[in-house]
Amino acid sequence: MQDFRQFGKTAWAGSALLALPLVLVAVLAATVLPASGARLATLFLIYVIAVLGNQIYSGNSGIMSFGHTSFMAIGAYASALLTIAPAAQATALPALPAWLAALAGQPLIVALAAALVVVLVVAAIFGLPIARLGGSAASIATLGLLVITHVTLVASTDFTRGSQTFFGIPRGVPMALVLGCAVAAVVIARLYRSSRGGLALRAAREDEIAASAVGVNVVRLRFWAFVLGALLCGASGALLAHFLGAFSPKDFYFNLTFLMLSMLILGGITTVSGAVGGTAVIVLLVDILRRIEAGGDFGIVTLPPVFGLTDIGIGLVILIVMYRLREGLFGVRELDERLGFEDAVTPTTQPAPVVPPGPGNLKVENVGKTFAGLTALEKVNFVVEPGLVTGLIGPNGAGKSTLINAVCGIVPPSSGRVMIGGQAVAELAVYDVPRAGLGRTFQNIRLFKNLTVLENVRVAANSVARPDEDTAAAARAALAIVGLSDLAARIAATLPYGAQRRLEIARALALRPRFLLLDEPAAGMNPAETDALMEVLRRIRAEHQLGLLVVEHDLKLIMRLCDRIVVLNKGQQIAIGTPDEIRADPVVIEAYIGRKRAAPPPQTPPLGPALPAT
Ligand code: ADP
Ligand code: MG
């Protein structure tokens, strides 16, 4: 288990902040509220637990789960089988196996614990395949889980009475237990969101490829979030069963799923504050709409019963809120984050990320890549040395990005290998490549857009840090190198273009790489931004002994910056040498401007500035 300090003060403060209204609701329910109000308060606290369970998985992974209601059902039935009164059991479930029948009459807390064990097992079994899926495929798989669970419960008549009502369990839940579970759920969800795993999962939600490239094992994180969320839903289901006293499988099917997701989406799926707030709003809304739906005398007006008003009403409210506030009522930032709680960071007396001394160069050996018949790379051979800048140039489509992707294992090479010291890199899982000493940026910027600048960098710092290490300081140091210290708290998507490019470099630097691969870092930059970038690259090269591989279209920039240049054309490595050698190489000139001789010369070279005349 990782150190508790990793969560930071913010997450603890946020937990307390959100637990407070729950305690208040419980106290009101126990003292001043009338019976109907107390019932509503209890229901709110029970729902909050399940909505938080959904938030842990769906909110952090970005995959909408329709399946977590299944775990409420499993929690409900598993606990009810244990708390059911022996006399009622004989009537309601005469065919129950003897060993299970003998367990009847347990206290709720024991049944709750046992139900969580059952939920854990089922969640682990379904979580393994579902975690491998992303996006809508995963959502559909969770929908499958919901249907499978429902059909299984209906079919298991000996255990569940099938689609008939399950009855005979002691009705009523102690408020202390409900409150305890709700507060625990808030703390778990809020701490998880700020934990290293939670942050990494949120990063993967923003960009899965970029997250893997900074060392995030997305599948593993999805699995644990799935299981943790399931446990919360299971606890909620067990409490709900005993709150209701009698229920059937349809009570844990689409309607409940719709209700849970409404609460989550209305409040804002990405935050714990949103989950709690959305639950409160929908519980109240449903109560009001139900009263109106039933019709009757409301003082000023008398209304007839309106069938379906509640569901239609919720649907409309969600539609309106989503139309006006895409991120839900509570937005993408937690309450505590809005209130400006900030974790103290040891000031930057800490040295910038140091490149761990490691033997050897980055060797690209005979690397080739074919895409369905198209040879994008063929027999590329060169070496990137620590402390030197190697340029990789070539016309559009020459295979430069493919080479970087092949080196990082994102597009495994079809032939050849990539070595750092004695280690073959391209064969590693993509998320292990950073730990082998490689950091990279992408030709098309891939930031974690809805995370802050500091969080973007921190994801990377976390994945190479020891569990007890304070990575905020390392992340800040990486930001200082690229001149983004002042913008640490900004949401990444709001940065100007040039700063976004530099943030990507900072994120890669936070991996403490021995080799840094930059794919067209100056693309789309104006001259001022390019100058700022050059300054950064020079500083990195001067102060850190890391090997830089820079892909660039801007030949002036490449000639100024590089110690050595590799030239690709149509997947072939056509030259390698110092800037002066490359400038004078007839083959290179041919590749870049040779076409101008064959065809009428265009006004400006189509591939960026031509080589200076030799
Ligand atoms: P560069 O970065 O030098 O402009 P790329 O490496 O992006 O060139 O592309 C090299 C060649 O490989 C191009 O012809 C491109 O169309 C092809 N290519 C790149 N990625 C893929 C892919 N995933 N599938 C098929 N072809 C690809
Ligand atoms: Mg490219």
Side-chain angles (χ1 to χ4, degrees):
M1 212 50 238
Q2 281 170 358
D3 200 293
F4 268 92
R5 274 172 305 177
Q6 68 169 299
F7 305 121
K9 287 201 193 78
T10 320
W12 288 108
S15 304
L17 219 58
L18 289 169
L20 214 61
L22 303 189
V23 174
L24 196 68
V25 165
V27 169
L28 287 179
T31 53
V32 298
L33 287 180
S36 65
R39 250 185 88 77
L40 204 61
T42 312
L43 197 60
F44 161 68
L45 292 174
I46 292 175
Y47 281 161
V48 153
I49 302 167
V51 175
L52 288 168
N54 278 287
Q55 197 279 328
I56 287 179
Y57 176 69
S58 296
N60 293 302
S61 76
I63 297 165
M64 190 64 75
S65 170
F66 302 102
H68 275 70
T69 319
S70 308
F71 300 117
M72 295 180 77
I74 294 168
Y77 278 93
S79 61
L81 279 169
L82 295 177
T83 57
I84 190 168
Q89 189 201 54
T91 345
L93 301 163
L96 213 56
W99 66 269
L100 191 53
L103 293 174
Q106 303 290 329
L108 177 55
I109 186 100
V110 174
L112 175 65
L116 289 186
V117 175
V118 177
V119 167
L120 178 69
V121 172
V122 178
I125 292 170
F126 281 96
L128 281 174
I130 290 177
R132 303 206 156 269
L133 304 174
S136 41
S139 282
I140 295 295
T142 61
L143 194 58
L145 168 63
L146 181 68
V147 175
I148 291 171
T149 310
H150 179 76
V151 172
T152 310
L153 288 175
V154 171
S156 312
T157 36
D158 290 357
F159 297 85
T160 63
R161 295 177 46 79
S163 52
Q164 286 178 286
T165 302
F166 191 111
F167 64 90
I169 60 171
R171 187 168 172 179
V173 278
M175 181 53 97
L177 180 64
V178 176
L179 178 64
C181 289
V183 168
V186 160
V187 174
I188 290 170
R190 182 64 190 87
L191 292 189
Y192 177 74
R193 187 178 186 273
S194 286
S195 69
R196 286 187 179 183
L199 177 60
L201 189 58
R202 284 187 287 138
R205 171 191 77 199
E206 301 293 321
D207 193 319
E208 201 173 325
I209 292 179
S212 318
V214 294
V216 174
N217 183 341
V218 185
V219 172
R220 198 178 70 191
L221 290 172
R222 276 196 205 127
F223 173 79
W224 286 114
F226 186 89
V227 172
L228 190 59
L231 287 173
L232 263 54
C233 289
S236 171
L239 293 173
L240 187 58
H242 291 82
F243 174 76
L244 297 173
F247 52 90
S248 65
K250 71 169 177 4
D251 293 325
F252 296 94
Y253 207 28
F254 281 113
N255 283 358
L256 187 59
T257 305
F258 174 66
L259 193 64
M260 294 294 114
L261 292 182
S262 305
M263 292 169 174
L264 188 54
I265 292 168
L266 185 83
I269 190 165
T270 57
T271 61
V272 177
S273 318
V276 174
T279 310
V281 172
I282 295 268
V283 164
L284 286 174
L285 191 69
V286 167
D287 190 59
I288 294 167
L289 290 173
R290 285 248 166 86
R291 282 163 201 251
I292 301 176
E293 181 171 331
D297 187 6
F298 292 91
I300 8 172
V301 282
T302 307
L303 294 175
V306 198
F307 178 75
L309 181 73
T310 311
D311 289 335
I312 294 173
I314 297 175
L316 281 178
V317 167
I318 290 183
L319 215 73
I320 294 164
V321 170
M322 289 295 120
Y323 187 68
R324 306 293 308 182
L325 303 163
R326 291 202 61 138
E327 313 290 353
L329 290 173
F330 293 80
V332 293
R333 310 201 68 187
E334 292 288 359
L335 221 53
D336 47 274
E337 291 167 347
R338 284 171 195 278
L339 290 177
F341 284 85
E342 230 206 302
D343 294 326
V345 174
T346 356
T348 42
T349 43
Q350 177 137 350
V354 203
V355 182
N361 302 328
L362 169 65
K363 291 199 188 105
V364 177
E365 297 178 3
N366 277 322
V367 167
K369 177 74 201 174
T370 48
F371 291 110
L374 176 112
T375 305
L377 287 176
E378 202 176 348
K379 292 205 172 141
V380 178
N381 276 291
F382 64 90
V383 173
V384 181
E385 288 171 56
L388 297 185
V389 183
T390 304
L392 182 61
I393 65 171
N396 244 329
K400 306 180 296 293
S401 296
T402 304
L403 181 68
I404 293 215
N405 288 334
V407 168
C408 296
I410 288 183
V411 176
S414 321
S415 59
R417 53 182 201 165
V418 179
M419 306 291 291
I420 292 183
Q423 190 175 20
V425 185
E427 281 123 65
L428 295 173
V430 176
Y431 55 80
D432 277 330
V433 170
R435 281 177 285 272
L438 275 187
R440 69 164 296 178
T441 65
F442 294 87
Q443 181 172 349
N444 305 310
I445 305 179
R446 285 179 172 272
L447 289 175
F448 308 132
K449 286 195 179 130
N450 284 308
L451 303 190
T452 65
V453 167
L454 184 64
E455 283 172 332
N456 265 270
V457 180
R458 211 164 170 182
V459 175
N462 284 344
S463 67
V464 292
R466 295 185 312 272
D468 62 337
E469 207 173 319
D470 178 13
T471 53
R476 294 236 176 221
L479 285 178
I481 295 175
V482 301
L484 285 177
S485 296
D486 295 342
L487 301 177
R490 283 268 289 270
I491 297 289
T494 67
L495 291 185
Y497 182 80
Q500 292 196 17
R501 284 249 175 233
R502 278 183 286 139
L503 174 55
E504 238 198 350
I505 295 176
R507 186 177 67 186
L509 279 174
L511 293 169
R512 286 181 276 185
R514 282 157 58 198
F515 299 95
L516 183 58
L517 320 183
L518 306 176
D519 196 350
E520 303 206 18
M525 282 188 171
N526 62 36
E529 288 171 331
T530 308
D531 285 345
L533 173 75
M534 284 289 286
E535 204 33 56
V536 168
L537 295 184
R538 287 219 185 86
R539 205 176 323 145
I540 292 172
R541 176 181 140 166
E543 294 171 15
H544 309 273
Q545 279 297 302
L546 50 74
L548 272 172
L549 179 67
V550 183
V551 171
E552 197 39 76
H553 259 157
D554 186 340
L555 290 177
K556 268 205 305 225
L557 186 149
I558 281 283
M559 295 292 166
R560 266 155 64 197
L561 187 69
C562 296
D563 301 294
R564 173 155 339 122
I565 297 175
V566 177
V567 189
L568 290 183
N569 189 27
K570 297 178 188 154
Q572 311 279 337
Q573 179 176 326
I574 57 171
I576 183 165
T578 63
D580 284 337
E581 287 164 2
I582 294 299
R583 206 178 269 131
D585 191 323
V587 182
V588 177
I589 297 168
E590 176 72 25
Y592 262 86
I593 53 178
R595 266 157 294 178
K596 282 170 91 177
R597 292 187 201 130
Q603 289 312 94
T604 48
L607 306 167
L611 290 173
T614 46

